[in-house]
Amino acid sequence: IVKPDTLWTLRHIAQCYRLQGEFDNALGYYRMAEELAPENISLLLQTGESFATVKQYDEALARFYKVEFLKPGARRATRAIAWCSFLSGKYEEALKYYLLLIQQPSPKAHDWMNTGHVYFVQHQLQEALFHYQKAHAMETNHTAFIEKFNKDKSVLLNLGLNKEDIQIMLDLLL
């Protein structure tokens, strides 16, 4: 109320809207905050993530690429670029960034899984299976892997895979 146009206030209002699931309102405040701090890494990531949530992938990617430029090697930006590229059908770009992630020391299981997803939607089944096996090996058990895989199932279906293909791939991991 006292200082409505400060960076701190704008970011916190945006965050409140974001937590309430009101992403369009959050984006309005994040964009105002960006005008005050156009090179703030954390703000760019939050704005990009909000754009990705409302499926405005080009706007999200613009922020993530800027973070990558300002802070080369930032894994959060690399993951975000890979995921947004994947969701927007830019599979070569997604694969480029996922391969960067899995070549880093200590890649995460979801980096391997998401690399598998990119190969899977491109019908490169052997590559997909190999990357899923790597992700599977990093999980505590098969059930944990399946739970994480199923979180992405609707994405895979939206990108052209069918339920039978998905079930066959999961059966191959047993």
Side-chain angles (χ1 to χ4, degrees):
I1 294 171
V2 176
K3 296 181 181 180
D5 295 328
T6 65
L7 180 61
W8 188 92
T9 302
L10 293 171
R11 285 183 75 172
H12 282 82
I13 292 171
Q15 186 176 12
C16 288
Y17 276 123
R18 192 171 169 196
L19 291 171
Q20 292 178 333
E22 295 184 34
F23 297 102
D24 290 327
N25 288 330
L27 280 168
Y29 284 95
Y30 279 133
R31 293 179 94 174
M32 285 188 274
E34 274 186 331
E35 289 179 23
L36 298 175
E39 295 188 357
N40 183 302
I41 302 289
S42 174
L43 178 60
L44 287 166
L45 288 167
Q46 291 170 327
T47 306
E49 289 165 357
S50 293
F51 273 119
T53 301
V54 296
K55 300 181 181 180
Q56 292 185 32
Y57 301 120
D58 289 337
E59 289 289 336
L61 283 166
R63 271 74 180 177
F64 299 140
Y65 284 126
K66 188 171 182 177
V67 170
E68 182 185 45
F69 176 78
L70 294 170
K71 188 177 178 184
R75 287 190 188 184
R76 186 170 165 193
T78 303
R79 283 187 181 95
I81 291 169
W83 186 248
C84 283
S85 296
F86 174 62
L87 293 176
S88 58
K90 299 173 185 173
Y91 301 133
E92 287 182 29
E93 187 76 358
L95 196 54
K96 171 185 159 186
Y97 281 89
Y98 279 125
L99 291 175
L100 284 173
L101 287 166
I102 62 173
Q103 292 169 2
Q104 296 288 321
S106 305
K108 306 270 187 223
H110 64 268
D111 296 330
W112 287 102
M113 183 177 297
N114 291 341
T115 307
H117 290 343
V118 177
Y119 282 119
F120 195 15
V121 299
Q122 294 182 94
H123 306 287
Q124 295 181 36
L125 303 181
Q126 290 299 323
E127 287 294 328
L129 181 59
F130 171 79
H131 289 83
Y132 287 145
Q133 287 170 332
K134 290 284 196 175
H136 191 276
M138 295 178 79
E139 294 298 340
T140 54
N141 56 49
H142 184 68
T143 303
F145 174 84
I146 295 299
E147 287 173 2
K148 290 180 181 173
F149 186 97
N150 283 337
K151 288 181 181 178
D152 295 336
K153 195 172 183 178
S154 63
V155 170
L156 297 173
L157 292 168
N158 288 337
L159 292 175
L161 294 173
N162 61 50
K163 291 179 183 180
E164 293 79 21
D165 291 336
I166 292 170
Q167 190 56 53
I168 290 169
M169 181 60 74
L170 292 175
D171 288 346
L172 290 171
L173 292 165
L174 286 175

